[in-house]
Amino acid sequence: MKIKSDFILRKMDDMSIVVAVGESAKAFNGVINLNPTAVFMWEKLSEGCTEQELVEAVLAEYDAPREVVTADVAHLIEKLRAENILDE
């Protein structure tokens, strides 16, 4: 899976937000605020990866229990799918 090219991450001061551009901007109004861990996951998804590869990348980067990381990754992917932000 991969983030659609119509969604871009912008960093402003200490905030990281995602905005829709192009055709996606017609259907998606607003912005998404991301915390640093979500930014890390967004960047991995922008490169393209599976859910399991994303879990492994987060585990390698952060000191967190596998169960927590797996749940967090699943939650983010669910939200991105609901907003039609992922190409699968």
Side-chain angles (χ1 to χ4, degrees):
M1 74 189 84
K2 190 172 183 176
I3 301 290
K4 289 183 177 180
S5 61
D6 281 359
F7 291 89
I8 55 173
L9 174 66
R10 291 286 182 241
K11 296 180 182 181
M12 301 181 318
D13 296 323
D14 61 344
M15 292 179 47
S16 297
I17 61 169
V18 172
V19 295
V21 296
E23 289 297 312
S24 293
K26 294 176 184 176
F28 184 86
N29 297 334
V31 298
I32 300 171
N33 293 310
L34 300 178
N35 67 28
T37 305
V39 169
F40 177 83
M41 290 190 278
W42 180 274
E43 290 171 345
K44 293 296 179 188
L45 286 167
S46 293
E47 299 167 4
C49 64
T50 66
E51 188 169 341
Q52 187 57 42
E53 288 170 336
L54 184 55
V55 167
E56 296 303 324
V58 173
L59 286 170
E61 185 73 15
Y62 296 96
D63 182 27
R66 179 174 290 276
E67 302 80 29
V68 172
V69 170
T70 301
D72 288 350
V73 167
H75 181 73
L76 178 65
I77 289 172
E78 178 183 317
K79 285 187 167 274
L80 295 177
R81 281 184 178 138
E83 295 295 340
N84 198 27
I85 294 174
L86 290 177
D87 272 334
E88 303 207 42

